[in-house]
């Protein structure tokens, strides 16, 4: 949705198929992230806490915290996501 090269923030459409997500180990990186669910739902684990976001929900978190996400549903999870980069 926006070029990330040379910018401090990436803005993109994230599509996660049913059963897909990030693998172990949990990821972490500098910056911040936020997302808004358009379709479906995601399960996010952030520093040991589990959050479920559904259509119309949003989330914001510090990307340096260990995190991962998974689509436990039966439809594609579609979200608008943004994250800052640490330069």
């Amino acid at each position: 949705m926006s070029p990330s090269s040379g910018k401090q923030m990436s803005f993109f459409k994230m599509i996660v198929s049913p059963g897909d997500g990030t693998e172990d180990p949990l990821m972490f990186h500098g910056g911040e992230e936020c997302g808004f669910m358009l379709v479906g739902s995601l399960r996010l684990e952030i520093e040991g806490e589990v959050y479920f976001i559904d259509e119309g929900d949003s989330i914001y978190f510090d990307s340096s915290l260990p995190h991962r996400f998974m689509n436990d549903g039966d439809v594609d999870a579609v979200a608008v996501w943004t994250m800052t980069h640490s330069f």
Side-chain angles (χ1 to χ4, degrees):
M1 295 178 86
S2 67
S4 59
S5 177
K7 306 295 181 193
Q8 293 182 13
M9 184 179 290
S10 293
F11 184 63
F12 55 96
K13 183 178 182 180
M14 181 169 69
I15 302 172
V16 184
S17 298
D20 283 349
T22 54
E23 303 292 328
D24 287 327
L26 276 67
M27 65 180 127
F28 59 93
H29 46 88
E32 301 168 314
E33 294 185 39
C34 60
F36 177 78
M37 289 302 303
L38 298 172
V39 177
S41 62
L42 286 174
R43 173 174 45 92
L44 288 95
E45 182 180 338
I46 304 168
E47 198 173 44
E49 295 289 325
V50 177
Y51 303 90
F52 295 92
I53 56 172
D54 299 309
E55 292 178 24
D57 291 340
S58 61
I59 192 163
Y60 166 88
F61 60 95
D62 182 333
S63 301
S64 68
L65 302 173
H67 60 281
R68 66 176 152 206
F69 57 86
M70 174 63 89
N71 179 353
D72 294 329
D74 10 338
V75 300
D76 283 350
V78 181
V80 173
W81 214 259
T82 189
M83 57 195 318
T84 59
H85 300 278
S86 55
F87 291 99

